[in-house]
Amino acid sequence: MKFLVYTVLSFFPINNLFAQKVNILIPAIPAILKENAHAVLLENREEFEIKSISKASYKVHQLITVLDEQGKEYLSFWGYADKFHMLDEVDIRLYDGQGKMQKQFNKKDLISFYAGDGLITDTKLYYAKFSTNNYPVTVQVDYEIKYNGILQFPAFDIQQPSLSVVSSSYTCIVAANMDLRYMSKNISLEPVITTEKNNKIYTWSVTQLPAFKYEESTVSAESSYPKILLAPNRFELDGYEGDMTSWEKFGEWYYALAKNASNLPESKKHVLREMVKDAPTEKEKAKIIYQYLQKNFRYVSIQLGIGGFKPFEASFVDQKKYGDCKALSNYAQACLEAVGIKSYQALINAEYNKEPVDPNFPINGFNHVILCVPLKGDTTWLECTSNTNEFAVLGNFTENRNALLITEHGGKLVRTPPSKSKDNQLSTHTIVTLASSGAGEIKIDLAPTGEYRSFTIAKDTKDDQKKYLVNALGYIAPDNFSLTENIDNNSLSMDFQQDKIPDFVAGKKMFLNPRMYKLWKMALPAPGTRTKDFYFPFPFIKSDTTEYKLPQGYTMEALPPNKNFSNKFSEFQSSYRYDKAYNKIICLARFELKNYLIPVAGYKETAQFFSDVIAEYAEKIIIKQE
């Protein structure tokens, strides 16, 4: 099961717990807990005992009944271990519908491997998977993780889509003088707090929670579903003690990790100063430095020990020409410092649908590092891991979040700017020279900006280019094509040869599509009873000009009607005209999504809007032989 690796501890000695007989009676599950459910969490008990600022244990006991094939994700287990976490005491069992044990895994039976494609890491993953054709089945999971260094506490993840809950609890035991902080998300749930000797004991419990349906394109899973977040006041990782009671204090801890890493060789500093000596402004200097990094350094994720937080030194990156987000941001900071420009590393949570960290709840909610350059009157943000981002453009990966600036005075939470639709444009100009046979030659000029800029494909293999043209841009699979890139203005030129351009032919008439690719391909999920905001990857403008040069002896018979429709979040216009003098048809279209986030209240009309865009493409241009 993705055995909710957040799951629980037994309150019994773990070895005794493993020996308990499981008696699962499927019919005993209330009908209401089977509605919308593919699995039922029968029992979930988690215990997190904090023994010091660097030592803790996390124990989990869990029983889940998988009702059908659609719940099979709960038949796999993922665990992990690294320098600071040891996976211990694993016992996983599969029971049939009558409660008879069918299979069992211990830790030695798990598949283990080091994490990651393209990663340098000491994180070891452990994996197990059950397979069955007979449902329902029940899985029992018991395991323990021992902490040797603490930066964050495991959350109480209460429920996921299509999973109902019979009983679930989370207990946290912490020394009273250390205490902890907590925050509930998407649920109103307070702990029962008791004391025992010098410890405070927090217990959260839920029972009889019906399943809810999955909704596509919502805020990221860790923010979308009911959970309790827990965070330390004081912590220690690899001998580095820290305070997380404020963003300022947490920033002090990270600053201490990184403060001695800006050790560029003097020879490199001289090269950088020569590189920017003729630049008229600090912003121009920063741009030259950034583009130098993009051309000469590459991203490699390095997660070794505290290396997940402490950047490699600038001298290391200068020599090796690679680094992870921390190392590359630190290196860029050192380069800018060498030419007299102040900048700050910034911790941020990355991915287009991530929820910004809560300003009122300091926690290690970050997974990425970028660079902030506070130029006079113009704060510039740099994504130092990208070889394609334009200068001073973050992109949807980190825009519109709360970033923690790491300054010499501690952490400061600031907002990264959101992009506008005008920042992410894909403009295409297509000329189709049509033969009387229906074959033709197609010339396309494609100009991307912002998020579309990173989609350039000139260096890909021919097969990958074709997949991109068809799957990402919506072109009909070309019979033959060539592609060239204009690096100066970041545009692409493509030449297609197509054996069949008309959508269909009837007698002496050809029926043509309005353009050679679809501005939008798939309808949005049906509105139904949607409860969560809908996230697009980014706002955008797509514009297309398509010219059909008709074969000799053909003329236009009918054009689609011009369209113009809009709502608060999006606009679409199309127009068609026939140029008799040149015997060609000119088709214009413009499609704008103004906001990447559509609130629940506006989703229904937005879903209809996108369906209307798709329907417009179904209109046909009709040409006929004279």
Side-chain angles (χ1 to χ4, degrees):
M1 108 187 227
K2 261 174 189 169
F3 287 81
L4 313 163
V5 166
Y6 53 64
T7 331
V8 204
L9 152 76
S10 139
F11 299 133
F12 307 100
I14 198 161
N15 290 331
N16 290 343
L17 175 65
F18 288 176
Q20 292 179 63
K21 176 177 173 59
V22 174
N23 183 16
I24 304 301
L25 298 176
I26 301 304
I29 298 173
I32 192 171
L33 296 186
K34 293 183 179 181
E35 292 180 11
N36 301 318
H38 300 302
V40 180
L41 182 57
L42 301 173
E43 185 176 65
N44 184 63
R45 298 195 304 275
E46 305 173 50
E47 182 181 279
F48 185 55
E49 183 177 2
I50 305 159
K51 300 174 182 179
S52 71
I53 60 174
S54 63
K55 302 288 185 181
S57 66
Y58 176 54
K59 300 175 184 177
V60 173
H61 165 67
Q62 188 174 72
L63 287 173
I64 289 189
T65 292
V66 181
L67 299 174
D68 53 40
E69 178 76 11
Q70 290 175 278
K72 66 181 181 180
E73 65 177 291
Y74 294 103
L75 295 177
S76 62
F77 169 83
W78 286 95
Y80 76 99
D82 57 26
K83 179 178 179 180
F84 307 112
H85 306 86
M86 182 179 74
L87 181 64
D88 195 20
E89 299 283 1
V90 179
D91 186 61
I92 307 168
R93 304 182 184 193
L94 179 72
Y95 297 87
D96 64 18
Q98 285 70 49
K100 182 179 179 181
M101 190 173 74
Q102 302 295 305
K103 298 177 183 177
Q104 180 178 14
F105 287 122
N106 294 313
K107 184 178 177 180
K108 62 181 176 57
D109 303 312
L110 303 178
I111 297 171
S112 63
F113 55 92
Y114 286 98
D117 255 346
L119 300 180
I120 300 174
T121 178
D122 60 2
T123 298
K124 196 172 187 179
L125 297 179
Y126 293 87
Y127 174 69
K129 182 178 181 179
F130 291 125
S131 59
T132 183
N133 294 319
N134 299 312
Y135 294 94
V137 294
T138 296
V139 182
Q140 175 183 341
V141 182
D142 295 275
Y143 65 90
E144 180 178 4
I145 296 175
K146 294 180 179 178
Y147 285 63
N148 183 30
I150 298 175
L151 181 59
Q152 57 197 54
F153 295 164
F156 179 26
D157 290 298
I158 295 168
Q159 194 175 18
Q160 300 181 32
S162 304
L163 177 73
S164 61
V165 178
V166 175
S167 175
S168 182
S169 66
Y170 183 110
T171 296
C172 186
I173 303 168
V174 59
N177 65 340
M178 292 173 55
D179 213 346
L180 56 81
R181 293 171 294 114
Y182 63 88
M183 180 177 69
S184 59
K185 292 184 68 67
N186 306 307
I187 192 171
S188 179
L189 182 65
E190 291 296 323
V192 174
I193 304 175
T194 59
T195 59
E196 183 178 304
K197 295 182 179 179
N198 295 323
N199 291 331
K200 290 182 75 171
I201 302 172
Y202 295 79
T203 301
W204 291 264
S205 300
V206 294
T207 59
Q208 306 297 308
L209 300 181
F212 56 86
K213 293 182 178 180
Y214 171 74
E215 295 183 24
E216 292 183 43
S217 301
T218 63
V219 67
S220 58
E222 63 264 31
S223 298
S224 191
Y225 308 133
K227 71 190 313 177
I228 305 296
L229 294 175
L230 296 92
N233 293 321
R234 294 183 296 121
F235 62 93
E236 180 185 303
L237 195 67
D238 205 31
Y240 291 86
E241 291 190 28
D243 185 318
M244 206 180 287
T245 55
S246 70
W247 291 115
E248 179 183 349
K249 292 290 186 183
F250 185 44
E252 287 178 2
W253 176 79
Y254 190 89
Y255 181 80
L257 293 181
K259 68 178 181 179
N260 296 320
S262 300
N263 56 348
L264 270 183
E266 286 299 322
S267 58
K268 174 50 67 78
K269 292 179 182 179
H270 176 74
V271 170
L272 294 169
R273 290 166 187 150
E274 285 295 307
M275 196 182 296
V276 303
K277 66 180 181 181
D278 296 325
T281 66
E282 285 195 336
K283 190 161 188 174
E284 282 298 318
K285 291 180 181 179
K287 183 176 182 180
I288 291 169
I289 297 294
Y290 182 70
Q291 291 178 338
Y292 165 72
L293 263 66
Q294 285 187 305
K295 292 177 182 177
N296 294 281
F297 294 80
R298 62 190 175 90
Y299 170 77
V300 176
S301 182
I302 303 171
Q303 309 293 335
L304 298 173
I306 201 170
F309 302 94
K310 184 176 182 178
F312 279 86
E313 296 179 350
S315 57
F316 173 91
V317 177
D318 188 63
Q319 179 185 7
K320 301 296 185 180
K321 299 296 185 289
Y322 67 75
D324 62 9
C325 61
K326 302 173 295 299
L328 293 175
S329 294
N330 178 72
Y331 184 75
Q333 182 182 35
C335 291
L336 290 172
E337 183 181 0
V339 299
I341 299 175
K342 184 75 171 177
S343 63
Y344 300 100
Q345 295 178 53
L347 310 185
I348 199 162
N349 55 338
E351 195 52 65
Y352 81 92
N353 64 341
K354 290 283 188 181
E355 187 176 62
V357 295
D358 191 322
N360 299 313
F361 191 72
I363 192 172
N364 178 41
F366 308 111
N367 61 359
H368 192 51
V369 180
I370 56 178
L371 197 66
C372 177
V373 189
L375 301 173
K376 187 178 295 185
D378 180 17
T379 297
T380 295
W381 295 88
L382 301 178
E383 173 51 74
C384 298
T385 64
S386 174
N387 297 113
T388 57
N389 275 30
E390 295 168 274
F391 172 73
V393 175
L394 281 179
N396 69 336
F397 198 52
T398 53
E399 68 180 24
N400 204 26
R401 306 294 151 68
N402 291 326
L404 187 65
L405 293 191
I406 305 302
T407 79
E408 56 269 37
H409 306 295
K412 181 180 179 182
L413 211 60
V414 297
R415 195 79 169 187
T416 59
S419 67
K420 309 291 185 184
S421 55
K422 64 181 178 60
D423 299 320
N424 305 304
Q425 297 196 45
L426 183 65
S427 177
T428 53
H429 187 179
T430 304
I431 298 176
V432 183
T433 303
L434 190 61
S436 57
S437 64
E441 295 183 355
I442 305 169
K443 293 186 177 294
I444 302 169
D445 290 320
L446 189 152
T449 67
E451 289 298 323
Y452 291 110
R453 177 185 171 95
S454 64
F455 295 167
T456 55
I457 56 173
K459 296 178 181 178
D460 291 346
T461 65
K462 199 82 168 179
D463 284 345
D464 287 341
Q465 288 177 350
K466 188 172 184 177
K467 288 176 184 176
Y468 176 80
L469 293 172
V470 175
N471 297 330
L473 296 184
Y475 282 97
I476 298 170
D479 297 309
N480 192 19
F481 72 97
S482 61
L483 185 150
T484 57
E485 180 180 19
N486 186 329
I487 297 176
D488 292 336
N489 62 10
N490 192 53
S491 63
L492 293 173
S493 296
M494 297 180 284
D495 293 295
F496 289 8
Q497 286 78 47
Q498 200 78 25
D499 292 339
K500 179 180 177 295
I501 288 179
D503 193 41
F504 62 93
V505 176
K508 295 184 177 182
K509 297 181 180 182
M510 295 185 190
F511 294 76
L512 308 174
N513 290 318
R515 58 200 68 89
M516 297 308 297
Y517 78 101
K518 297 178 180 180
L519 291 171
W520 193 262
K521 296 198 301 180
M522 296 181 64
L524 302 188
T529 55
R530 191 174 182 92
T531 63
K532 299 182 182 298
D533 298 340
F534 187 93
Y535 281 68
F536 287 93
F538 50 87
F540 60 80
I541 296 174
K542 288 185 175 182
S543 57
D544 178 82
T545 299
T546 297
E547 300 180 31
Y548 282 104
K549 294 184 176 181
L550 305 189
Q552 186 174 0
Y554 278 77
T555 188
M556 182 274 296
E557 178 175 279
L559 295 176
N562 295 343
K563 294 288 179 72
N564 189 336
F565 48 88
S566 64
N567 61 29
K568 181 180 178 180
F569 308 105
S570 41
E571 293 180 353
F572 179 85
Q573 302 96 33
S574 64
S575 63
Y576 302 87
R577 67 182 179 88
Y578 175 56
D579 185 332
K580 187 174 182 179
Y582 291 94
N583 196 29
K584 67 180 181 179
I585 294 168
I586 302 169
C587 316
L588 304 176
R590 184 181 184 277
F591 177 24
E592 179 178 8
L593 175 67
K594 299 177 183 178
N595 195 342
Y596 78 104
L597 190 154
I598 308 299
V600 172
Y603 179 72
K604 184 176 181 180
E605 64 175 321
T606 300
Q608 182 59 54
F609 174 91
F610 277 77
S611 293
D612 291 342
V613 172
I614 294 170
E616 193 275 344
Y617 184 80
E619 301 278 1
K620 298 302 177 208
I621 299 165
I622 305 174
I623 64 174
K624 65 179 180 180
Q625 190 173 11
E626 295 178 308

